[in-house]
Amino acid sequence: MRPCIIEPMDEEGVTRLMEYIIITGVLLLLMIVMMFSVNASIMEGPANKLRYHAFVDIGNGVSARIVDLYVIAPGNGTIETKFDIPDDVAGKGYFVDVWMEGENRASQAIEVQGGAIKSKVAIAGIGATRGVIGNTTGAGWNMIQYDSKGFL
């Protein structure tokens, strides 16, 4: 029977494997850090800017619909209209608020808000001749109602 002789092994293969694993791990860590920073700087900024400008457009559209209804409002009676605005902007919902503001409630405004982004638009054309108040969201159909006797 021959004696078993153990010869020194070449460790070069193990060294290369460890080098590959360490470099890959560091690169993956850097990739994760880059994903978070790219999302905040490259994607969120333009999305927020898009949302703001879309909110201004939505506010102007609601204002135009209110003024159009005011123009055809009967002296004695009621009228209502349904309209649709986008369900979401940049993948997120929003709220539309209409109210009278200022001293003696002399002006009226529409505020469109979604998260931290807000847009405020004045109702053009009717001033404070007719009191406008209410709120809605982008989801579904929206309604504007007018009653010459007023609402309780």
Side-chain angles (χ1 to χ4, degrees):
M1 179 167 216
R2 278 193 202 169
C4 184
I5 302 173
I6 300 174
E7 296 182 17
M9 296 181 63
D10 188 9
E11 296 179 357
E12 185 178 331
V14 174
T15 304
R16 289 185 189 242
L17 178 64
M18 290 302 294
E19 178 184 5
Y20 176 76
I21 290 173
I22 291 171
I23 290 175
T24 303
V26 168
L27 290 176
L28 283 174
L29 182 67
L30 289 174
M31 183 65 125
I32 291 170
V33 169
M34 284 297 295
M35 285 174 54
F36 286 121
S37 64
V38 164
N39 184 38
S41 64
I42 294 177
M43 295 170 69
E44 289 288 327
N48 288 340
K49 191 175 285 189
L50 168 79
R51 291 178 76 210
Y52 174 77
H53 290 292
F55 289 169
V56 169
D57 290 342
I58 291 167
N60 285 330
V62 172
S63 172
R65 288 177 179 97
I66 291 171
V67 171
D68 290 347
L69 190 70
Y70 168 73
V71 169
I72 62 171
N76 188 11
T78 63
I79 190 171
E80 65 183 42
T81 183
K82 289 183 181 180
F83 64 96
D84 192 22
I85 53 179
D87 291 341
D88 60 7
V89 175
K92 296 182 181 178
Y94 59 92
F95 298 98
V96 178
D97 293 316
V98 182
W99 75 91
M100 298 180 72
E101 66 179 359
E103 291 183 28
N104 301 325
R105 302 176 74 161
S107 64
Q108 301 177 32
I110 298 173
E111 182 177 87
V112 183
Q113 175 182 355
I117 308 299
K118 286 184 186 180
S119 166
K120 188 174 173 185
V121 176
I123 297 179
I126 61 174
T129 57
R130 301 271 191 229
V132 178
I133 192 165
N135 57 30
T136 188
T137 64
W141 286 93
N142 304 288
M143 182 181 295
I144 301 173
Q145 297 176 320
Y146 169 80
D147 188 350
S148 61
K149 297 175 185 171
F151 293 99
L152 297 175

